[in-house]
Amino acid sequence: VLRPMLVRIGGRVYRKNLIQEQAYQHEEEEDFCAGPGDCTDEPCDAFVVEETEKGFQCRVEVPSPLYKYVIGKKGETKKRLETETRTSISIPKPGVEGEIVITGQHRSGVISARTRIDVLLDSFRKKQPFTHFLSFALNQPAIQEKFLQFKEEVLEKCSKDHGVSSSLFQNPAKLHLTLGTLVLLNEQEIRKACDLLQRCKEDFVDQITGGKPLTVEVAGVEYMNDDPAMTDVLYAKVHMKDGSDRLQVIADQLVERFVASGLMLKEWDRVKLHATVMNTVFRKDPSAEERNSTMTGKSSFKERESFNGRNILKLFENFCFGEVQLDSVRLSQRFSTDASGYYATSGQL
């Protein structure tokens, strides 16, 4: 209560009071009540309110998958917003990209409706599974070959250890470093992310790299959780060949810029550079992506069967997967595959 969650919208900070959330069977039927304590309905210069012949108007760019949260169950959320703010809210048809238009006779009412819609959408956007992620590809032929050697030796020496099986291993064509995950719900948001990636290249990436690829060594393995006997994720460690921290600096600055733009949620102070080689989510779904964020499905960890990684960690502590030249950061699309076997790329620098 004394430290309420802060929501940043359009350069302003709002306090979000603690409320008891009801769990609905179907998320699309969720209703949302933005009460007086959820946000401050004061005039705000973070968005444009136009004066018209009939009063005032404000337009909100909203991806079509989020329309249902403004409408609410049987239209109740929209009706409540209109009644409480004395406005009219026009929403495009489902699946049609466009703008939500708020109109009203009083400027304060339009601003109140807009602020409540922003808070509502921000809340539900955080519940969406991620669609894209920033990545460095580590699927060069030499790395893939060494990874397959690692897999073969692990299965040969450790297959009797609890939970160890061939289904745990990453697809070698999809070996990568994840910098951060994004929820991009339409083409405009994807374009915004691609544009930001290019600006990052011009603003700091080229300066740090000198316009040359980064030579990185992939060597050694480590586990994610506290008990190596109950491992869910085993990853390969990466470091710059020249001993510098340039890769870490680029990763941290990219994430910082994407968080500041609102396209990415801040999860950690520093990016944990790691290449997943074994993951228990692959046991049931080989195409699954590791999720190290708060957006993890409620039951996914309960369904996992951990494996005993103690022997793997001892035997392969210094296993060398090889060197790789990193020359691009990709905006990769989740659950996709391109001609090379890697994730489809929506943009890159």
Side-chain angles (χ1 to χ4, degrees), residues 168 170 221-228 230-236 272 274-283 289-292 301 304-307 309 313:
L168 296 176
Q170 171 69 283
V221 291
E222 191 56 87
Y223 62 104
M224 280 284 190
N225 52 312
D226 297 326
D227 184 0
M230 297 286 287
T231 301
D232 280 318
V233 177
L234 192 82
Y235 63 90
K272 187 175 180 65
H274 68 282
T276 298
V277 291
M278 297 174 72
N279 193 328
T280 53
V281 299
F282 297 149
R283 200 190 294 278
E289 270 311 302
E290 69 268 26
R291 285 179 157 212
N292 54 7
F301 282 104
R304 287 184 167 197
E305 180 196 345
S306 300
F307 65 93
L313 288 160

Side-chain angles (χ1 to χ4, degrees), residues 55-307:
F56 297 88
Q57 176 178 282
C58 184
R59 297 175 177 273
V60 197
E61 279 191 20
V62 178
S64 59
L66 297 181
Y67 294 164
K68 61 186 178 184
Y69 301 121
V70 182
I71 296 167
K73 187 179 179 181
K74 296 181 181 178
E76 288 174 8
T77 302
K78 179 174 175 286
K79 287 175 193 170
R80 185 186 300 116
L81 282 169
E82 289 177 324
T83 302
E84 292 179 358
T85 61
R86 296 181 182 180
T87 58
S88 174
I89 301 170
S90 173
I91 301 171
K93 292 179 181 178
V96 178
E97 294 297 336
E99 295 176 318
I100 290 179
V101 181
I102 307 161
T103 54
Q105 291 186 340
H106 304 284
R107 189 172 189 273
S108 59
V110 172
I111 289 172
S112 176
R114 168 63 192 261
T115 305
R116 293 188 187 197
I117 286 173
D118 282 345
V119 172
L120 182 156
L121 293 177
D122 185 69
S123 171
F124 282 112
R125 179 181 277 278
K126 287 175 182 174
K127 297 181 181 181
Q128 305 298 311
F130 73 88
T131 60
H132 294 73
F133 57 100
L134 293 181
S135 74
F136 284 109
L138 296 178
N139 64 345
Q140 289 75 359
I143 299 284
Q144 287 197 48
E145 192 177 323
K146 291 291 283 185
F147 170 79
L148 291 171
Q149 181 190 326
F150 167 78
K151 178 179 178 180
E152 187 180 323
E153 291 183 18
V154 167
L155 292 174
E156 184 184 315
K157 298 172 183 176
C158 307
S159 60
K160 292 184 180 178
D161 294 344
H162 174 75
V164 175
S165 72
S166 62
S167 63
L168 296 176
F169 291 85
Q170 171 69 283
N171 176 347
K174 292 195 169 181
L175 287 165
H176 67 280
L177 299 176
T178 299
L179 304 186
T181 59
L182 305 96
V183 177
L184 306 177
L185 299 176
N186 59 18
E187 285 301 318
Q188 289 103 304
E189 292 190 347
I190 292 171
R191 278 200 302 275
K192 185 179 175 184
C194 291
D195 291 344
L196 181 55
L197 209 49
Q198 289 307 313
R199 287 202 300 278
C200 289
K201 172 178 163 59
E202 295 161 9
D203 291 350
F204 61 86
V205 175
D206 282 347
Q207 185 180 351
I208 295 170
T209 63
K212 296 176 182 177
L214 300 178
T215 304
V216 170
E217 188 174 27
V218 186
V221 291
E222 191 56 87
Y223 62 104
M224 280 284 190
N225 52 312
D226 297 326
D227 184 0
M230 297 286 287
T231 301
D232 280 318
V233 177
L234 192 82
Y235 63 90
K237 296 184 282 187
V238 295
H239 61 267
M240 287 288 297
K241 183 73 174 173
D242 63 8
S244 73
D245 63 350
R246 289 186 296 159
L247 180 62
Q248 185 70 54
V249 170
I250 288 171
D252 289 341
Q253 288 195 21
L254 278 169
V255 169
E256 191 179 312
R257 287 288 291 272
F258 271 80
V259 169
S261 75
L263 289 169
M264 191 181 284
L265 292 176
K266 187 176 178 68
E267 294 180 72
W268 317 106
D269 289 334
R270 297 176 83 234
V271 176
K272 187 175 180 65
L273 292 169
H274 68 282
T276 298
V277 291
M278 297 174 72
N279 193 328
T280 53
V281 299
F282 297 149
R283 200 190 294 278
K284 289 188 176 181
D285 181 7
S287 68
E289 270 311 302
E290 69 268 26
R291 285 179 157 212
N292 54 7
S293 73
T294 53
M295 293 180 284
T296 304
K298 289 178 185 176
S299 61
S300 63
F301 282 104
K302 292 178 186 176
E303 294 168 1
R304 287 184 167 197
E305 180 196 345
S306 300
F307 65 93

Side-chain angles (χ1 to χ4, degrees), residues 331-347:
L331 179 62
S332 301
Q333 188 180 326
R334 196 174 180 217
F335 300 133
S336 67
T337 307
D338 66 11
S340 73
Y342 193 66
Y343 301 92
T345 301
S346 298

